[in-house]
Amino acid sequence: MGDAPEYRWDTGEIVEVPEGDSAEVWVRSVTTKEYRIRLSLIRDTLYIKDETQEDMKNSMRAEGLNDLAVRARTGRKRVPYETGSHLYAAFEQIKTLARISSHDPKTQVGAAVLCPQTLRVLATSVNGFLRGACDDLLPNLSPDKHTYMRHAERNLVNYCARKGIAMESLLVICTHSPCYECARALWDAGITIIVFETEHKQTREGFQGKLDLGYSMMGLEMVCWKKRVYSEADANRYRAMVLRPKTREQVIKEIGGKDEL
């Protein structure tokens, strides 16, 4: 094996490719431990296939290594791989569900209720028609669709009520910020924080001039959970909508300037 071509494990370079379809060579890793691999030339492409764990163990035992050393040198390999956060995974789940299940061909909206500590998804919903309705016959384009199409947030509240899921103090996420009526329904269900990805124009328009419920837009860093389960990228991707009833002073200030009063 001394004349076999050398494979540079640290740089990924093959000094010399052997002639023929395949050949066994020795590979030296950056930790200077040697093991055998097989190089296969298929359609001018070099494929590298590791020996099986059992073959490697047998080779090392033949070299006189004890079982402890064999286990140390044949442990499972892992490459650096960073997964997305729990919040990102939940948003991807409702966006995929909305693309597949929403009855609206123009605007697909998804919503979900999550555990605020772990962000585990408890229930999901999309915008669509009434449960059990003839969705293949009802109009799904503006302006006729607005009479029959229900928002994802309202469908979420109704689904949780039907299934016995208490929404008190839980977290709701939406692909779009909720309208005024949906925000009222969420507030009455016990929701105070709504995390969304896209701000809908109906949010600001719907809340204008309303005297009962108000909201504040905040970043995720301003919403304190017991356990941080979102990434720095999420802070730039999503925003939080915090609901609260308007105070007596706010209501007096807003109605005080009206001519009819």
Side-chain angles (χ1 to χ4, degrees):
M1 298 298 296
D3 298 330
E6 181 185 357
Y7 178 86
R8 294 292 301 279
W9 185 263
D10 52 343
T11 61
E13 299 177 354
I14 295 179
V15 178
E16 180 184 354
V17 178
E19 297 180 358
D21 294 334
S22 64
E24 289 183 350
V25 300
W26 285 96
V27 174
R28 183 176 296 276
S29 69
V30 292
T31 57
T32 70
K33 294 184 175 65
E34 295 180 339
Y35 62 95
R36 191 168 49 192
I37 67 172
R38 180 174 295 275
L39 301 180
S40 300
L41 293 175
I42 304 176
R43 295 182 182 177
D44 298 330
T45 303
L46 184 63
Y47 292 86
I48 303 176
K49 181 180 180 181
D50 288 349
E51 265 193 335
T52 64
Q53 291 284 327
E54 193 61 32
D55 291 339
M56 293 172 60
K57 291 179 181 178
N58 293 336
S59 299
M60 291 180 181
R61 289 193 181 99
E63 296 174 7
L65 298 177
N66 56 36
D67 289 340
L68 181 61
V70 169
R71 286 197 297 270
R73 290 173 57 174
T74 59
R76 292 185 178 274
K77 299 182 290 295
R78 177 177 173 84
V79 296
Y81 179 72
E82 182 178 355
T83 60
S85 67
H86 297 296
L87 185 62
Y88 176 78
F91 265 98
E92 290 301 304
Q93 179 177 341
I94 63 173
K95 288 196 294 185
T96 301
L97 180 66
R99 286 195 298 267
I100 297 174
S101 304
S102 175
H103 295 141
D104 194 332
K106 184 178 179 181
T107 305
Q108 293 84 37
V109 181
V113 59
L114 280 62
C115 173
Q117 284 76 34
T118 62
L119 296 191
R120 184 170 65 91
V121 177
L122 304 178
T124 59
S125 68
V126 298
N127 58 329
F129 298 122
L130 186 72
R131 182 172 62 96
C134 301
D135 51 47
D136 59 332
L137 300 177
L138 296 177
N140 58 2
L141 295 177
S142 298
D144 299 331
K145 73 173 183 179
H146 300 298
T147 304
Y148 305 100
M149 196 80 66
R150 310 186 72 163
H151 291 182
E153 300 88 344
R154 182 64 64 88
N155 286 335
L156 181 65
V157 172
N158 295 341
Y159 177 83
C160 290
R162 188 168 72 251
K163 296 298 183 180
I165 302 175
M167 302 181 69
E168 187 79 31
S169 302
L170 296 182
L171 174 70
V172 166
I173 64 171
C174 304
T175 55
H176 299 71
S177 58
C179 67
Y180 169 70
E181 292 297 335
C182 287
R184 294 178 70 190
L186 291 172
W187 171 263
D188 284 336
I191 299 298
T192 58
I193 300 176
I194 304 163
V195 178
F196 63 92
E197 184 174 26
T198 303
E199 183 175 356
H200 200 282
K201 62 180 181 180
Q202 290 186 3
T203 302
R204 296 183 181 274
E205 296 175 357
F207 274 86
Q208 288 182 355
K210 302 299 188 297
L211 303 177
D212 54 352
L213 186 65
Y215 70 92
S216 300
M217 294 295 188
M218 298 182 179
L220 293 185
E221 66 277 1
M222 301 298 295
V223 181
C224 297
W225 293 312
K226 293 182 180 179
K227 181 179 179 182
R228 187 185 179 94
V229 286
Y230 61 91
S231 65
E232 294 297 334
D234 294 335
N236 300 324
R237 187 182 295 118
Y238 311 119
R239 297 181 65 192
M241 181 178 180
V242 181
L243 302 177
R244 59 172 60 91
K246 291 187 176 181
T247 63
R248 183 178 182 86
E249 291 75 14
Q250 288 176 319
V251 176
I252 293 176
K253 181 179 180 180
E254 291 188 22
I255 68 177
K258 294 186 177 182
D259 296 336
E260 62 269 20
L261 297 177

